[in-house]
Amino acid sequence: MEPSHVAAVERYRALLQVSESIASHRELADLFHSLAALLQRLVTFDFICLALPDLARNVVKLHVLASSVPTRIQPGAEMPMADNVRQLVWENQQPLVISHLEHDERFPYVSDMMRQDGVQSLCILPLTTAQRRVGAMAVGSVEASAYDAADLEFLRQVAAQVAVAVDNALNFQNAQIYQQELARERDRLRLLLEVNNALVSTLDLHNLLAAISSCLRRVMNHDYASLALYEPDARQLRLQALDFPQSKGLLQEEMVFPIEGTPSGEVVTTRQPLIVTGENLDRYKANVSRLYIAEGLKSGCIVPLVTANRVLGTLSLSSLRPGQFTQEDLDLLMRVANQVAIAIENALAYHQIAELKNKLAEEKLYLEEEIRTEYTFEEIVGESPALMRVLSQVETVAPTDSTVLVLGETGTGKEVIARAIHDHSPRSERTFVKVNCAAIPTGLLESELFGHEKGAFTGAIAQKMGRFELAHRGTLFLDEVGDIPLELQPKLLRVLQEKDFERLGSTRTQHVDVRVVAATNRDLAQMVEERLFRSDLYYRLNVFPIVVPPLRERSDDVPLLVRYFAQKHARRMDRHIETIPAEEMDALTRYYWPGNVRELENLIERAVILSRGPTLHVPLPDERNAGEAPAASPLTLEAAEREHILRTLRDTEWVIAGPGGAAARLGMKRTTLQSRMAKLGIARPGRPSASTPVP
């Protein structure tokens, strides 16, 4: 066999060894070292390197496999692809042979670099597999024209094997990178799951931060973790929770610091995360920043805690080492912060609900045991000074047997006052009988009060006992006493003075021991003046007058009454009312309440019916009624009368006489009304009153 054939056989045997060696190397560094040793047996060269392109960055990385001459090319050196001989080989996918580098001017950058390393001839071959273009292989020699056609053909086969080897190594390298990324993403997802489990298991902010810090420490090294809550009214942050085992004690929980001049304040203001380094920390001038540095903290990352409604505060991690946190860490912390923000909002809501629940429990206890006044009047709710004066009068007059006249607007609770007088009198063990004089027809009122005999009038088919007899040794409550007709008033006066009467249709005198408590919302003194009420009966009833204030004059009692009526009707309807919104309570307190306590109770009863949950939702009264409230409540009966006449005159557009005039509405004669207007100084706008001097 000829020597050339022997050399060819040796070459191909060595090429087979290259192919076999490729399968045993997956790392690029190991592969390059093995290829260098094998290729020295196959090809004559003084310099051999691989050029692997990085298309994303448009550069070429050079890897020297072997060199017998000094070279300036460092492992992993980078050079731009533009105007590069390797780019030409890459694009054309054809080998390039340069026999005399000193005469080649096409590629000045490469030629100059190779000549400085002593290389005279160069052969560059593309590295290509069936799947992709891998790069290029360059073989150089210090001799000129070192490579002929046979060498080029063999080098093509070597390059094909090297391309497969490098492609496999690159694929393995990429697979490792992807595997590391997947492992990192798995760890981070596991972290988010652990954080989520920690969030749902605790509502205490200190325990919450400790759990979060413990989870994060397995992925992000840190020495300090804190949770600061934003207080918008004061424009400050409060260090609500702190996890800093190596603290010097300079930073402590409950410490407050301003928004201005602090990294956390900047995060709250911009709602953007921030990486803190020693360089940018110096620009924050607040005292807490100096304390941060004094604690030895050199780097950190801060993220905002944001919900759909507001910024709750910040979550911060810091380290005693500089440059500890990357953008990737910041992105992960932002994902954690999204969960933490929801948990904190829930925790804050839970604490608020717990406080309201405790407050409600205290109010309920107070409502059940002590909502009554200090006088322990069981059916009277309130503690305003106006009501206290009334109850003081009740306590004074109740032990006596004197007649009491309870005055006040409709719905103020005059019957409740009458019951309190009875309950605190020596007659409390006897019957409390009430009669609404306005609700009984005039023809039947005498029979209702004094009774009748069988056959006394048409329809009297049996004897009937009157209310005075029923109230013997007890108390009789005459409600709306101002509506008793004039013809019946003498008989009522007699029973009050003499304690005896005759039933309707009877001549036998009945003697009774009755205490009378009367009530009216009308001005009896005015009615006496207008001869609509007997003066002697008025004086007999007005022995001890008690004026019940309207609800607008005891607005402090509205919250107590609301809670009392809410519980009363809720129990009756088998409902469970726990809370009453503060804004609705404020609106009820400000309302004018023309219907007084009766209107309030009816409104709360309706609210209990409409409310489906534990919160009482009150259908607020018409605000137009509230707007009709006078600037100040009248302090005297005369002032109240003047205000009432003025309101009626305005409603009738100052028409006094006639069916729709003010006199008819007020139930008095035109002359009487005009007399009262003159006395009270009332005149139509634009006209001077009788008491006003005319200039």
Side-chain angles (χ1 to χ4, degrees):
M1 184 178 296
E2 296 181 4
S4 60
H5 291 165
V6 174
V9 170
E10 289 297 327
R11 277 188 169 186
Y12 285 108
R13 183 178 291 116
L15 188 61
L16 180 61
Q17 292 177 354
V18 170
S19 178
E20 293 173 349
S21 176
I22 287 173
S24 61
H25 298 288
R26 292 185 178 181
E27 296 285 349
L28 273 178
D30 295 341
L31 176 65
F32 290 165
H33 181 74
S34 177
L35 285 175
L38 291 171
L39 292 177
Q40 285 177 342
R41 298 168 50 192
L42 302 177
V43 184
T44 301
F45 62 85
D46 298 296
F47 173 87
I48 184 170
C49 75
L50 297 181
L52 305 181
D54 186 342
L55 298 179
R57 301 172 54 220
N58 199 31
V59 297
V60 174
K61 285 189 176 183
L62 300 179
H63 301 272
V64 177
L65 301 186
S67 177
S68 60
V69 296
T71 178
R72 296 180 302 161
I73 302 177
Q74 300 297 320
E78 295 182 354
M79 57 187 303
M81 288 188 67
D83 299 327
N84 194 330
V85 63
R86 292 173 180 80
Q87 183 182 19
L88 179 63
V89 174
W90 169 270
E91 292 176 351
N92 296 336
Q93 287 292 295
Q94 294 295 326
L96 176 66
V97 177
I98 303 176
S99 300
H100 301 279
L101 279 172
E102 68 274 11
H103 303 305
D104 194 291
E105 302 296 335
R106 292 174 298 171
F107 312 105
Y109 181 84
V110 174
S111 299
D112 182 63
M113 183 175 60
M114 292 293 102
R115 282 196 298 268
Q116 290 184 23
D117 289 343
V119 177
Q120 295 297 319
S121 56
L122 185 67
C123 180
I124 305 174
L125 302 101
L127 299 177
T128 306
T129 66
Q131 287 76 28
R132 62 170 175 163
R133 300 176 182 181
V134 178
M137 182 178 72
V139 180
S141 175
V142 295
E143 298 180 2
S145 303
Y147 304 105
D148 56 17
D151 293 328
L152 183 60
E153 180 60 30
F154 181 73
L155 285 173
R156 281 177 179 270
Q157 298 182 42
V158 172
Q161 296 293 332
V162 172
V164 173
V166 173
D167 190 36
N168 289 342
L170 290 175
N171 288 334
F172 178 74
Q173 187 180 59
N174 291 335
Q176 283 187 313
I177 293 173
Y178 293 145
Q179 187 174 8
Q180 292 172 356
E181 290 179 355
L182 288 174
R184 187 161 52 251
E185 184 64 20
R186 177 203 62 204
D187 293 340
R188 291 173 181 256
L189 291 174
R190 182 181 297 158
L191 166 68
L192 294 176
L193 179 60
E194 291 176 355
V195 169
N196 185 67
N197 292 337
L199 297 180
V200 299
S201 63
T202 179
L203 290 170
D204 182 81
L205 294 182
H206 298 86
N207 296 338
L208 185 66
L209 179 66
I212 295 170
S213 180
S214 176
C215 295
L216 287 171
R217 194 166 276 117
R218 291 196 293 272
V219 178
M220 300 169 59
N221 291 325
H222 64 276
D223 304 296
Y224 164 101
S226 69
L227 187 64
L229 297 186
Y230 179 44
E231 298 176 351
D233 294 338
R235 288 190 57 78
Q236 65 184 18
L237 286 160
R238 183 177 299 274
L239 198 59
Q240 195 69 34
L242 179 65
D243 181 19
F244 190 13
Q246 302 177 53
S247 172
K248 300 176 182 177
L250 302 177
L251 296 173
Q252 297 180 353
E253 291 182 0
E254 296 301 322
M255 179 181 289
V256 295
F257 48 91
I259 292 295
E260 293 76 13
T262 60
S264 296
E266 180 179 324
V267 170
V268 168
T269 304
T270 63
R271 297 194 178 193
Q272 296 297 320
L274 177 67
I275 293 180
V276 178
T277 62
E279 292 76 17
N280 64 14
L281 189 60
D282 292 336
R283 63 188 177 94
Y284 299 103
K285 304 304 181 184
N287 183 56
V288 69
S289 301
R290 293 194 293 272
L291 296 178
Y292 184 93
I293 297 173
E295 285 279 12
L297 297 169
K298 294 181 172 57
S299 61
C301 57
I302 308 172
V303 294
L305 300 173
V306 183
T307 64
N309 302 321
R310 54 178 175 153
V311 179
L312 298 175
T314 61
L315 175 64
S316 304
L317 297 183
S318 297
S319 174
L320 298 171
R321 295 170 293 280
Q324 183 66 35
F325 301 99
T326 64
Q327 183 62 42
E328 189 177 11
D329 294 327
L330 197 64
D331 295 339
L332 174 62
L333 196 60
M334 277 297 296
R335 297 174 68 179
V336 172
N338 293 334
Q339 296 176 276
V340 174
I342 298 173
I344 290 177
E345 190 169 48
N346 292 340
L348 294 175
Y350 170 80
H351 289 303
Q352 186 177 13
I353 291 171
E355 290 177 1
L356 291 175
K357 197 170 184 180
N358 292 336
K359 183 179 179 182
L360 177 64
E362 294 175 0
E363 290 179 354
K364 183 180 179 183
L365 182 63
Y366 174 75
L367 182 65
E368 292 177 346
E369 297 181 358
E370 209 57 45
I371 63 169
R372 307 302 190 266
T373 68
E374 60 182 347
Y375 297 101
T376 67
F377 295 97
E378 287 75 14
E379 294 184 11
I380 302 175
V381 178
E383 55 187 19
S384 63
L387 184 60
M388 292 297 101
R389 287 193 294 269
V390 171
L391 296 183
S392 177
Q393 292 176 304
V394 170
E395 193 174 47
T396 299
V397 77
T400 72
D401 256 348
S402 298
T403 303
V404 179
L405 179 60
V406 184
L407 303 170
E409 297 177 4
T410 298
T412 53
K414 296 186 291 294
E415 181 182 339
V416 178
I417 296 297
R419 285 186 178 275
I421 293 172
H422 170 74
D423 292 340
H424 289 76
S425 72
R427 299 172 180 264
S428 59
E429 299 298 323
R430 308 297 295 183
T431 309
F432 177 83
V433 179
K434 62 179 181 177
V435 179
N436 190 323
C437 301
I440 301 173
T442 303
L444 297 179
L445 183 57
E446 182 178 358
S447 172
E448 192 68 27
L449 290 175
F450 306 109
H452 64 261
E453 297 291 340
K454 181 179 180 181
F457 53 87
T458 303
I461 60 176
Q463 184 187 71
K464 178 185 177 182
M465 183 181 297
R467 298 295 179 92
F468 272 93
E469 289 181 74
L470 289 174
H472 181 57
R473 296 184 180 177
T475 302
L476 178 65
F477 175 53
L478 297 177
D479 197 9
E480 303 298 338
V481 71
D483 290 315
I484 295 178
L486 276 170
E487 60 269 21
L488 188 56
Q489 292 179 18
K491 195 169 184 178
L492 177 59
L493 177 61
R494 178 188 171 191
V495 75
L496 290 176
Q497 290 181 338
E498 307 297 335
K499 304 294 184 182
D500 55 28
F501 65 95
E502 291 84 28
R503 289 178 185 164
L504 189 62
S506 173
T507 58
R508 188 167 65 90
T509 301
Q510 301 283 340
H511 183 79
V512 290
D513 178 14
V514 176
R515 180 186 191 171
V516 173
V517 178
T520 183
N521 63 348
R522 303 179 67 176
D523 187 353
L524 292 184
Q526 176 68 30
M527 293 179 68
V528 168
E529 185 176 341
E530 296 170 1
R531 299 182 181 277
L532 298 175
F533 200 87
R534 290 179 62 98
S535 60
D536 48 0
L537 178 59
Y538 169 67
Y539 298 135
R540 187 65 187 82
L541 291 173
N542 198 35
V543 174
F544 193 95
I546 296 178
V547 180
V548 181
L551 188 54
R552 61 181 174 274
E553 294 182 7
R554 42 182 290 225
S555 58
D556 292 345
D557 292 339
V558 171
L560 295 176
L561 289 165
V562 170
R563 297 185 186 100
Y564 173 75
F565 290 138
Q567 294 299 325
K568 172 185 174 182
H569 293 294
R571 283 194 297 267
R572 181 171 59 84
M573 300 178 194
D574 197 22
R575 299 287 180 88
H576 187 62
I577 300 297
E578 292 184 356
T579 59
I580 303 170
E583 61 272 17
E584 296 186 16
M585 185 70 82
D586 291 340
L588 293 174
T589 303
R590 293 192 304 268
Y591 182 60
Y592 182 54
W593 296 112
N596 293 295
V597 178
R598 183 182 294 117
E599 181 186 4
L600 174 61
E601 180 174 7
N602 293 338
L603 181 67
I604 298 304
E605 182 178 3
R606 182 162 69 252
V608 173
I609 295 172
L610 296 176
S611 299
R612 297 301 180 187
T615 300
L616 183 72
H617 295 289
V618 183
L620 298 178
D622 191 347
E623 290 296 328
R624 291 174 298 178
N625 292 337
E628 296 173 3
S633 301
L635 300 179
T636 64
L637 288 175
E638 182 176 289
E641 179 185 10
R642 188 178 191 279
E643 181 63 30
H644 183 56
I645 292 175
L646 279 171
R647 189 181 299 115
T648 306
L649 288 169
R650 285 192 292 267
D651 291 343
T652 60
E653 298 182 350
W654 291 85
V655 176
I656 297 176
R665 289 196 181 187
L666 293 170
M668 61 178 66
K669 297 179 181 179
R670 176 182 59 81
T671 55
T672 303
L673 176 57
Q674 290 174 330
S675 174
R676 295 301 300 169
M677 289 173 61
K679 180 180 178 181
L680 296 171
I682 299 174
R684 186 169 183 172
R687 299 180 184 177
S689 66
S691 60
T692 304
V694 180

